[in-house]
Amino acid sequence: MKKIVFDSYDQLSKAAADFVAAEINSKPNLVLGLPTGGTPVGMYKNLSEMNKEGKVDFANVTTFNLDEYLGLERSHDQSYWYFMNKNLYSNVNLKEENINIPNGMATDMDAETKAYDKKIEDMGGLDLMVLGIGPNGHIGFNEPDSYLIAPTHTVTLTESTIDANARFFTSREDVPKKAITMGVGNIMKAKKILMLISGANKKAVAKALNEGIVTPQNPATMLLMHPDVTVLIDKDADQ
Ligand code: GLP
């Protein structure tokens, strides 16, 4: 695991965008896994600007998002589709048919999870997976537990994640209790991983990555077993 520390969130965001752009420039049909959350917003802003300036071309890129809440329509302003559309899809020349995000409104969730995994496999797997991290160590919506699930699956969110994400909703009661997420198996199969960590509330989980102990109680520590992970972290989150 390679770690690069930045003085500010803005510098981290620029470096994250440069990293993703370099991967696309070296493989224009990149299969790209993408996160939501507050942390990647700056990266998406930089990538949108770079696309307008002709520095990166999304025309042949395929994206797969990590997760989505269950029960929110795409048009709901807190759905992850809405977030992605606002922060990236509508700003760059990604083709609509190359955009993938789990369908949190599917009537048959078992079929939806299996179809999502099959589509990733049919594309030859993820070339690059970009990840944020929850304050409790979750990646995607793989929550701390006594075990982790490998394929895409539905999950009941922990109270701490509902608390953490309540800031985006009008009230805590509005936060969905369930989500659909890629599993740690999908993430670990990515050829390359870029993890973004920002802010003082990530200090504890970031510190655990330095300790070398892999535990399902901190799902991000699974990444210690992946051969090609780069962590971009700002100094507020670094110990
Ligand atoms: C959500 C997402 C995660 C993301 C996390 C962190 O829970 N499901 O994929 O990493 O938020 O968000 P933030 O960057 O806002 O701390």
Side-chain angles (χ1 to χ4, degrees):
M1 184 175 281
K2 182 178 165 198
K3 182 173 91 168
I4 308 173
V5 185
F6 295 89
D7 282 339
S8 70
Y9 171 73
D10 286 350
Q11 287 172 15
L12 180 153
S13 299
K14 175 81 177 66
D18 286 346
F19 189 106
V20 173
E23 293 295 315
I24 295 172
N25 289 337
S26 71
K27 189 181 180 211
N29 63 345
L30 197 79
V31 181
L32 178 60
L34 292 173
T36 52
T39 310
V41 169
M43 174 187 77
Y44 290 136
K45 189 165 180 287
N46 278 279
L47 281 171
S48 302
E49 282 162 11
M50 290 168 83
N51 183 242
K52 285 197 177 63
E53 290 161 4
K55 292 179 182 158
V56 62
D57 182 7
F58 285 85
N60 296 308
V61 172
T62 299
T63 63
F64 284 91
N65 259 76
L66 271 168
D67 48 12
E68 178 60 282
Y69 288 115
L70 291 199
L72 297 190
E73 299 277 1
R74 280 182 165 195
S75 57
H76 189 289
D77 66 2
Q78 291 309 327
S79 79
Y80 283 166
W81 189 91
Y82 189 99
F83 171 96
M84 289 305 300
N85 190 49
K86 180 174 162 216
N87 287 288
L88 188 74
Y89 303 158
S90 65
N91 306 332
V92 299
N93 66 330
L94 262 172
K95 291 194 185 103
E96 206 178 323
E97 64 266 30
N98 291 345
I99 292 172
N100 298 282
I101 185 158
N103 179 6
M105 295 296 290
T107 43
D108 183 345
M109 273 300 157
D110 191 43
E112 172 65 17
T113 55
K114 288 193 171 77
Y116 204 65
D117 287 350
K118 182 168 185 317
K119 198 155 185 201
I120 296 172
E121 265 172 46
D122 288 350
M123 289 300 299
L126 301 168
D127 292 308
L128 173 64
M129 177 82 245
V130 185
L131 292 174
I133 184 171
N136 64 1
H138 73 223
I139 44 178
F141 270 133
N142 292 276
E143 296 279 38
D145 208 328
S146 54
Y147 60 89
L148 294 168
I149 299 175
T152 297
H153 58 282
T154 55
V155 58
T156 300
L157 303 180
T158 61
E159 292 300 315
S160 77
T161 291
I162 292 170
D163 287 341
N165 291 357
R167 67 200 142 120
F168 298 117
F169 290 81
T170 318
S171 77
R172 191 183 186 280
E173 285 62 52
D174 293 338
V175 184
K177 308 284 177 286
K178 289 179 182 238
I180 175 171
T181 182
M182 280 190 203
V184 287
N186 302 93
I187 295 168
M188 290 296 283
K189 278 192 260 176
K191 294 175 191 84
K192 203 176 269 200
I193 294 177
L194 179 68
M195 171 168 261
L196 314 180
I197 313 181
S198 168
N201 67 332
K202 304 287 171 67
K203 228 178 190 132
V205 281
K207 186 163 175 269
L209 293 176
N210 294 333
E211 285 163 0
I213 295 166
V214 180
T215 165
Q217 297 299 341
N218 181 350
T221 59
M222 282 294 290
L223 303 182
L224 292 166
M225 297 198 289
H226 191 283
D228 192 346
V229 180
T230 302
V231 176
L232 306 184
I233 184 166
D234 64 17
K235 66 174 190 312
D236 289 348
D238 197 36
Q239 57 179 331

